[in-house]
Amino acid sequence: MACDRVNAVRRHVLAVMAVLLLAGCGAPATSSSPSPTSSTTRATTPSTPTTTTTTTTMTTTTTPPPAKLGRVVVLDPGHNGANAANPAAINRLVPAGRGKTKPCNTTGTATNAGYPEHAFTWDVSVRVRDLLTAEGVEVVMTRPDDNGVGPCVDQRAATGNQSGAAAVVSIHADGSTNPSAHGFHVAYSAPPLNEAQGEPSMRLATTMRDAMVSGGFVTSTYIGAQGLSPRDDLGGLNLSQRPVVLVECGNMRNADEAAAFTSADGRQSYAAAIASGILAYLG
């Protein structure tokens, strides 16, 4: 019986093993059907372009102001706009040098059509001032506008003396009653009363004369010689302690010169020649 029980156990074990073998090896394992091969599009990540930043340095070129010449020029526009309306003020006597006195100032002359000398001298002086300032020259004017009275001739000279001017240039126009008289002349103090009125003023006068000729202007046919006129009766010249000249630009009663005086282009031409003479003198 014992053998029968052992055999029964063996048969049971074998049956279990058979079942396990069938479960593990009997039916073929079902494999997943491969998915059809699909064309896979690879997303290409665009490479980030390298950005080159160019820094442009903006260079601003600034034209420096003209270098100062270290000199002062005094411009003296003859007469003034309100002189005629103030006879008492301009007729009072003031020192004029050489032991003399003269009226404070005068009204000046005019063209036959009425264009006044004071307006001409002011306009030309302003143009000369602007030309000189552009070249770095410091300019002092003896009067601030064309609407006042005077100043007197001794005050005009004092302006030049007190400024320590390298040159003083008084600007005028003549009023000869002879309509054929024409041309400019440059007056200077003679005989000189001090060192500044000697060689420096004479050199300023000849330099100015040459610049006026180079500017296309003819020398006077009726005053002085070769565009130069020595004077001992002009208070502004006599009282000056600085190199000084007076430029009579021409005859306002001459038709041709009157036309130039009343023309903006004409006045600019006078101004350019006078400024050129001053700059040449300053060197």
Side-chain angles (χ1 to χ4, degrees):
M1 258 177 107
C3 290
D4 291 337
R5 190 176 292 115
V6 171
N7 289 333
V9 170
R10 286 178 178 172
R11 285 196 295 274
H12 178 72
V13 170
L14 290 174
V16 171
M17 290 179 65
V19 171
L20 291 174
L21 287 173
L22 286 174
C25 303
T30 303
S31 61
S32 299
S33 300
S35 59
T37 303
S38 60
S39 175
T40 304
T41 302
R42 180 177 297 173
T44 303
T45 302
S47 60
T48 303
T50 302
T51 303
T52 302
T53 303
T54 302
T55 302
T56 303
T57 302
M58 298 298 292
T59 302
T60 302
T61 303
T62 302
T63 303
K68 289 285 185 183
L69 294 179
R71 299 181 183 177
V72 176
V73 168
V74 170
L75 297 178
D76 177 30
H79 314 288
N80 209 331
N83 281 5
N86 293 273
I90 65 169
N91 287 333
R92 67 184 181 88
L93 298 179
V94 298
R98 303 185 193 272
K100 300 177 181 179
T101 58
K102 293 188 71 172
C104 164
N105 211 238
T106 63
T107 60
T109 187
T111 65
N112 291 331
Y115 179 63
E117 181 185 0
H118 66 79
F120 169 75
T121 63
W122 174 252
D123 185 274
V124 170
S125 295
V126 168
R127 293 171 186 269
V128 174
R129 178 197 65 192
D130 293 346
L131 291 170
L132 295 179
T133 300
E135 295 297 325
V137 178
E138 182 180 351
V139 177
V140 175
M141 305 280 273
T142 59
R143 57 185 174 99
D145 51 45
D146 194 39
N147 306 312
V149 179
C152 297
V153 292
D154 58 334
Q155 293 174 298
R156 292 173 188 253
T159 297
N161 296 339
Q162 293 165 3
S163 70
V168 178
V169 177
S170 188
I171 298 173
H172 287 256
D174 199 20
S176 172
T177 56
N178 179 359
S180 65
H182 65 280
F184 77 90
H185 67 272
V186 181
Y188 58 94
S189 179
L193 297 175
N194 53 51
E195 184 177 352
Q197 292 180 17
E199 187 278 334
S201 290
M202 191 66 203
R203 179 162 49 88
L204 176 58
T206 55
T207 302
M208 183 63 68
R209 185 269 316 276
D210 294 345
M212 293 288 286
V213 171
S214 295
F217 300 104
V218 299
T219 58
S220 175
T221 60
Y222 64 105
I223 296 179
Q226 299 180 330
L228 299 177
S229 177
R231 300 283 293 268
D232 66 359
D233 60 329
L234 298 177
L237 301 185
N238 290 337
L239 296 171
S240 181
Q241 299 169 9
R242 310 304 303 168
V244 60
V245 296
L246 184 150
V247 182
E248 289 278 11
C249 294
N251 182 12
M252 298 198 86
R253 303 297 177 80
N254 176 272
D256 292 336
E257 292 186 332
F261 294 153
T262 55
S263 160
D265 288 342
R267 294 192 297 272
Q268 186 65 29
S269 295
Y270 279 105
I274 293 171
S276 178
I278 294 171
L279 292 172
Y281 174 77
L282 295 178

